[in-house]
Amino acid sequence: MAFRKAFQVACGIAGTAAVVVAAAATTQRRGEGRVEAAAAVSWSPSPPLEQRAAAGWDFNWDKREPISLMKPNKKNKDNAEDFTAQLENYKVKATRHIFLIRHSQYNLSASTDKERILTSLGREQAELTGQRLASLGLKYDILIHSSMTRAKETATIISKYLPGLEMMSCDLLREGAPIEPVPPVSHWKPEAMQYHEDGARIEAAFRRYIHRADLKQENDSYEIIVCHANVIRYFVCRALQFPPEGWLRMCLNNGSITWLTIHPNGRVALRTLGDTGFMPPDKLSR
């Protein structure tokens, strides 16, 4: 504890990189193993826990605070009234509702993505998920899905219950290893290169899809994203500003619904996490 306090005083807020490297060294000295040290020095955009706690909620987490959206030549702070009036023009008006759907059960014994099609149970699960989304009575704007076979098939079945809804495929949403989990697990150990490649891609997907509404958006939107458990869990951690290394502590059933709400002021609410209460017990799988 004494070392931690001395370390905090010495580092202050001199820089995230220095803190991360020192934290990794501390972890190694404590003998907690290579895995946690690697997680600490990863490319992850999250600062150390102590710094996050001190800073509180970062309202500009998506770089869409009004001051960030203003062009540099318009940031005339000398005239307070004019500056305040200009800021009003850069305030987001609408709320985004994002439904993150985990794909249904698929053929785990297949060796290629093309062969990893939904099982008969998986098709039933997708039907139930589609029915549930339709029953909410919302006017959905778009259905985006991962380009992997199991996600495409799940999205196609769901779309039957939402006629006319635009569909779009995205490679960024493919399953992968977002960041080395803490605590580590023994049954799943991807190579460091996989974390390096998948992590950057999944972070790019987060930045593309999880953010406040555009300035031109006048009405609230309802968007569906069909993808994968690792991607969804990472998105939830990042959106709620929890340590992203904790993503593997959550479990999601096949066909489950996770509902994120992003308000105009940057606040994020998790309305449901992995909801499958609409499925009979004999239709559940993970």
Side-chain angles (χ1 to χ4, degrees), residues 41-90:
V41 299
S42 73
W43 59 270
S44 169
S46 65
L49 180 59
E50 294 87 347
Q51 189 172 330
R52 288 196 298 266
W57 179 262
D58 176 13
F59 280 93
N60 200 26
W61 60 274
D62 59 351
K63 308 306 178 205
R64 292 179 184 238
E65 278 288 282
I67 189 67
S68 294
L69 295 174
M70 290 181 68
K71 294 180 180 180
N73 60 350
K74 292 188 176 182
K75 295 180 181 178
N76 180 16
K77 297 182 181 180
D78 295 333
N79 187 328
E81 291 186 9
D82 183 54
F83 179 70
T84 301
Q86 288 186 62
L87 276 180
E88 289 297 318
N89 296 327
Y90 291 90

Side-chain angles (χ1 to χ4, degrees), residues 38 105 197 250 272:
Q105 187 190 70
E197 294 178 352
M250 295 178 275
T272 64

Side-chain angles (χ1 to χ4, degrees), residues 4 25 51 116 132 137 155 160 174 186 205 213 238 248:
R4 180 179 293 275
Q51 189 172 330
R116 290 176 183 141
R132 172 59 176 167
K160 295 192 308 182
R174 294 173 73 88
S186 58
R238 287 281 284 111
L248 198 51

Side-chain angles (χ1 to χ4, degrees), residues 38 129 132 214 249 265 278:
T129 302
R132 172 59 176 167
D214 292 333
R249 302 171 201 172
N265 63 0
F278 52 88

Side-chain angles (χ1 to χ4, degrees), residues 4 25 44 73 85 90 96-97 109 133 147 171 187 192 206 213 217 225 249 252-253 265:
R4 180 179 293 275
S44 169
N73 60 350
Y90 291 90
R96 293 183 68 211
H97 298 272
S109 62
L133 290 169
S147 56
D171 289 335
H187 62 275
F206 173 82
Q217 183 176 324
I225 298 177
R249 302 171 201 172
L252 300 176
N253 288 337
N265 63 0

